[in-house]
Amino acid sequence: MTIMILGLLIFLGGHSVRIFAESWRQQQIAARGEGTWKLAYSAVAVIGLALAIYGYGLTRLDPIHIWFPPMGLRNAVALLMLPAFIMLAAAYVPRNAIKAKLGHPMMLSVKIWAFAHLLVNGRLGDILFFAAFLVWAILAFKAAKQRSRQHPSAPQATSLPATLATIAIGVVAYGLFAFYLHGVLIGVPVFG
């Protein structure tokens, strides 16, 4: 559990600089350059995520059960993950209406992912892992919305093809992950 918590602190801590220390971040970028900042930020993120995932895997070896979720909640998670994948795609596809409307779809995707997984995982390691991401996503979304209000940007032009492509990419990624990759990478099949 300690390795997972350390990894979460490093990963989410690094990703929380914009929440709690935006001016310090700007000073570091100005002093060291954007490339150096991004390299250091990426290194911290990779190390933190690797430790968190490794530590999370270790918590599954000797689980501490807090509650036993009803099996029916798995269907709810399967439904919730579809919009999470679409929002994840919306964060990257340019000119889509979903991003234009929501502003920060990546953080909303993380919120849905974390909340959905809290519904079906009752082990202590799972609860800590997914709750940490949920709390981070709530705080990061709030901070990002505040930055957007303080420094509004011009409305971005959207296109129907970009929006449809976003939805299609999200649905295909969802299908691929739900029917194949989740079982292979996580060891838990979504359906079955």
Side-chain angles (χ1 to χ4, degrees):
M1 187 94 54
T2 305
I3 294 172
M4 181 189 76
I5 292 170
L6 177 63
L8 288 170
L9 287 171
I10 293 169
F11 181 77
L12 296 175
H15 279 76
S16 297
V17 170
R18 292 204 81 180
I19 300 170
F20 301 109
E22 177 64 20
S23 60
W24 177 82
R25 176 184 172 272
Q26 293 299 331
Q27 290 170 354
Q28 298 308 308
I29 291 171
R32 292 171 174 72
E34 190 170 0
T36 302
W37 171 261
K38 286 182 177 181
L39 183 64
Y41 181 85
S42 297
V44 167
V46 167
I47 291 166
L49 187 58
L51 285 171
I53 291 170
Y54 177 72
Y56 175 73
L58 292 177
T59 68
R60 296 166 105 193
L61 298 176
D62 190 20
I64 300 168
H65 292 277
I66 304 300
W67 72 298
F68 294 93
M71 289 300 290
L73 285 178
R74 292 179 68 170
N75 297 326
V77 173
L79 287 173
L80 286 169
M81 289 309 297
L82 181 58
F85 271 94
I86 292 170
M87 285 186 221
L88 181 62
Y92 295 102
V93 176
R95 300 184 54 195
N96 73 78
I98 297 168
K99 184 173 184 175
K101 178 71 174 168
L102 299 176
H104 306 281
M106 168 73 81
M107 289 170 227
L108 293 171
S109 176
V110 173
K111 278 192 214 182
I112 294 170
W113 167 79
F115 174 73
H117 283 77
L118 279 170
L119 292 176
V120 292
N121 291 290
R123 295 177 301 229
L124 180 60
D126 298 322
I127 293 167
L128 291 174
F129 188 83
F130 295 113
F133 275 96
L134 180 59
V135 169
W136 171 82
I138 290 167
L139 294 173
F141 184 77
K142 183 179 176 184
K145 291 297 265 186
Q146 185 176 9
R147 282 192 307 274
S148 295
R149 281 192 294 275
Q150 290 173 350
H151 306 287
S153 58
Q156 299 293 316
T158 61
S159 76
L160 182 58
T163 304
L164 293 175
T166 300
I167 294 168
I169 291 167
V171 169
V172 168
Y174 168 81
L176 184 62
F177 206 80
F179 290 99
Y180 179 68
L181 290 176
H182 198 276
V184 171
L185 297 174
I186 312 301
V188 178
V190 173
F191 301 106

